[in-house]
Amino acid sequence: LNLEQQLARQVGRLSMVSEVVSSLNKSTNVGSSLGEALEKLSTVLGTDAAVIWLPNLSEPGGEMFLAEQRGLPDPELATEILAQVHCNDAWPEDGLRIHTALVPGRLAAGPANALTVRLGRAGEDLGFLTVLKWSTSFGPVDGAILAAVGGDIGASLRNVRLLAEARRLADRDPVTSLYN
């Protein structure tokens, strides 16, 4: 590709990322926007699958659950992928992990390559976003795009939780916990 074509391709990718971020920031229910975000992100990065895990806030310890997925040939793979990408090791400063040879023997195309980003800022456990490619690797720009989108998804999740807490506090008397 010549330079103009490469530039046009990158501008198109950034435009799609902007659309994802914009729709998430406008939403008061991030859950309804996650599927659309995964679709556009998969298009931008040229991935075969994408998965988002969020902590279950109703349980102590916040066990991760599959919030949304696109492109997995078998939904059972999500559990195996989570076990391989979400370990208790310290996260890199940028919140991004690179994985190679995930779920060997489970995909017809061979082991998957993946990028996982922590949603939110350092120290927050707002969830994880993993994108997968079956037979190709990720480019140097892909990690930066995923980290940016992951940060924005984390901010949207944080805002929705803060809004829900503010509504809860506004609905109840602080002394008696009865509805106002």
Side-chain angles (χ1 to χ4, degrees):
L1 295 177
N2 67 28
L3 187 57
E4 286 180 18
Q5 291 172 325
Q6 289 177 352
L7 183 59
R9 183 171 178 256
Q10 293 300 338
V11 167
R13 291 175 77 185
L14 292 175
S15 175
M16 276 193 189
V17 169
S18 177
E19 288 176 31
V20 170
V21 171
S22 177
S23 68
L24 286 170
N25 288 333
K26 291 177 188 173
S27 177
T28 57
N29 179 2
V30 175
S32 64
S33 302
L34 290 178
E36 180 186 347
L38 288 183
E39 291 285 337
K40 287 185 178 175
L41 189 59
S42 291
T43 301
V44 168
L45 298 177
T47 63
D48 297 303
V51 187
I52 292 181
W53 294 279
L54 300 175
N56 186 345
L57 298 177
S58 62
E59 288 181 13
E63 192 75 23
M64 290 289 167
F65 72 94
L66 177 64
E68 191 71 45
Q69 70 91 11
R70 292 288 188 267
L72 288 180
D74 176 6
E76 296 293 320
L77 280 174
T79 305
E80 290 180 45
I81 292 168
L82 176 61
Q84 292 179 34
V85 301
H86 179 250
C87 56
N88 292 327
D89 299 340
W91 278 82
E93 180 106 2
D94 63 358
L96 186 69
R97 286 185 175 157
I98 300 168
H99 314 278
T100 56
L102 286 180
V103 292
R106 291 292 309 265
L107 299 167
N113 295 306
L115 291 175
T116 298
V117 67
R118 179 187 57 230
L119 303 178
R121 298 178 286 220
E124 285 183 308
D125 204 6
L126 297 176
F128 301 94
L129 166 60
T130 299
V131 292
L132 302 109
K133 289 186 178 184
W134 305 148
S135 57
T136 59
S137 58
F138 289 92
V141 176
D142 296 337
I145 290 173
L146 187 65
V149 171
D152 288 326
I153 291 173
S156 296
L157 289 169
R158 188 179 321 102
N159 291 341
V160 166
R161 289 179 186 168
L162 289 172
L163 179 61
E165 179 65 12
R167 284 182 180 155
R168 187 190 67 75
L169 291 172
D171 288 346
R172 298 214 178 244
D173 181 271
V175 176
T176 64
S177 293
L178 296 173
Y179 283 103
N180 288 330

